[in-house]
Amino acid sequence: MMDMSPAGKDGQSPISSKKTSKKPKYSKFSQQELPAWKPILTPGWVIAAFTVIGIIFIPVGLASLFSSERVEEAVFRYDDTCLPSSDAGNPVAYIKNDATNKTCTHKWIVEHKMQAPIFIYYQLDNYFQNHRRYVKSRSDKQLWDKNSGWETKNCYPEDKTKENEPIVPCGLIAWSLFNDTYKFSMKNKELTVNKKNIAWKSDKGSKFGHDVYPKNFQGGGLIGGAKLDESIPLSDQEDLIVWMRTAALPTFRKLYGKIESDLEANDEIDILIENNYNTYEFGGKKRLVLSTTTWIGGKNPFIGMAYLFVGGISLLCAIGFILLYVIKPRPLGDPSYLSWNRNPGILK
């Protein structure tokens, strides 16, 4: 018996061909026919755009630059000055020897008045906190939930003690916690360093538990940096919280505390430094930074210079286009001949 069903091209029926078709349903969205603004970049529009950018960016850049210049900042490198001359040949042995005295003093004369709060930072150079294995060496569940103390799978080798007990907080980030300390005094009177509210509120409230306490910390085979008070919950250990927010670049600053009293010009400050943190083994450098802030933050001239650069280039482009348009003008095309003006709603 002869098959009388209609067949399409290549022997396929129209019905099956319709089912396998990949052609989308027609809509103005799929065919890019939605109403749109199609600006014509005439010389007037281009010149006006560059001029507006220049007029906006240059004042913002000047304000940012002047604000950055008003920041008072003092930076002291101390990993070399705190190293005794007798141990200069072998600094690694010196820093690892618990019997050696690691305190040193530095006298600082304030050059310009510094208004409170004065932020204290420690700066580390050649320290790669962004190393993949280092960044992953932590347990966020363990930091937040007291019942997740055994969540240590990413923390090796600082995951458990020799007795197979979990370390809280585990991982290389917490293990390498910065442990240098600073004390400031003026006229034999100690300046109070406030170490409260130095961490992000979001970190304290949502990443570190109020009922999670350190346990077996620095109890592994290797002793790293600072130790933690096991009677204080992790949410209140702000030095740890600041350190656990890893830096993206090998040179970084982290907040140590705040001096909440003004320092006048020519005040003589005695700084007592405990040089405990081992940066000698990998060629790192340590600096102490004291800085005020303005509405733009700390000293950062790059933002102002970037705004000035973009604004200046924009004004130069505007002037160049004006001269080109005046000296050597050229006729403009008639926009009515554009396809979307001759056939609105149809894309050709």
Side-chain angles (χ1 to χ4, degrees), residues 133-181:
R133 185 180 178 187
Y134 184 88
V135 172
K136 292 181 64 178
S137 185
R138 61 186 291 165
S139 174
D140 290 321
K141 286 185 178 180
Q142 186 196 66
L143 295 173
W144 176 249
D145 184 9
K146 66 177 181 179
N147 297 319
S148 300
W150 286 96
E151 293 284 344
T152 61
K153 63 179 180 180
N154 293 326
C155 296
Y156 182 82
E158 292 302 315
D159 54 346
K160 299 175 185 177
T161 63
K162 294 179 180 179
E163 292 76 23
N164 204 32
E165 291 291 325
I167 297 173
V168 181
C170 68
L172 292 174
I173 305 177
W175 172 80
S176 59
L177 177 61
F178 188 77
N179 63 341
D180 284 4
T181 61

Side-chain angles (χ1 to χ4, degrees), residues 151-340:
E151 293 284 344
T152 61
K153 63 179 180 180
N154 293 326
C155 296
Y156 182 82
E158 292 302 315
D159 54 346
K160 299 175 185 177
T161 63
K162 294 179 180 179
E163 292 76 23
N164 204 32
E165 291 291 325
I167 297 173
V168 181
C170 68
L172 292 174
I173 305 177
W175 172 80
S176 59
L177 177 61
F178 188 77
N179 63 341
D180 284 4
T181 61
Y182 314 111
K183 292 183 179 179
F184 304 85
S185 61
M186 182 176 62
K187 298 177 182 179
N188 296 323
K189 183 180 180 182
E190 186 174 348
L191 296 175
T192 302
V193 176
N194 183 6
K195 304 194 74 172
K196 295 291 185 182
N197 299 319
I198 62 173
W200 290 20
K201 289 184 179 180
S202 58
D203 288 351
K204 292 179 61 178
S206 60
K207 291 187 177 181
F208 294 82
H210 294 276
D211 54 357
V212 180
Y213 292 83
K215 182 181 179 183
N216 302 317
F217 189 66
Q218 302 293 9
L222 297 173
I223 302 301
K227 296 183 179 180
L228 297 176
D229 190 338
E230 294 192 357
S231 64
I232 301 176
L234 295 184
S235 60
D236 293 336
Q237 308 253 13
E238 297 200 40
D239 285 330
L240 173 69
I241 299 173
V242 170
W243 180 257
M244 293 289 285
R245 180 167 283 277
T246 53
L249 299 175
T251 297
F252 58 87
R253 295 178 180 180
K254 291 184 181 290
L255 187 58
Y256 179 84
K258 295 174 286 186
I259 298 175
E260 297 184 330
S261 59
D262 295 346
L263 297 180
E264 301 294 335
N266 299 319
D267 281 348
E268 189 173 298
I269 310 298
D270 293 314
I271 306 174
L272 181 66
I273 301 174
E274 283 278 353
N275 182 28
N276 299 313
Y277 202 69
N278 184 7
T279 58
Y280 303 104
E281 201 155 9
F282 56 86
K285 300 175 184 177
K286 294 187 288 188
R287 288 179 170 87
L288 171 64
V289 182
L290 291 97
S291 175
T292 59
T293 58
T294 59
W295 63 270
I296 200 173
K299 185 177 284 294
N300 185 8
F302 173 78
I303 296 177
M305 294 172 66
Y307 271 100
L308 287 175
F309 177 78
V310 174
I313 292 295
S314 298
L315 282 184
L316 286 177
C317 290
I319 294 171
F321 281 124
I322 289 172
L323 294 176
L324 187 64
Y325 185 63
V326 171
I327 296 172
K328 197 175 181 181
R330 56 183 291 185
L332 299 177
D334 187 352
S336 63
Y337 285 97
L338 294 172
S339 61
W340 56 80

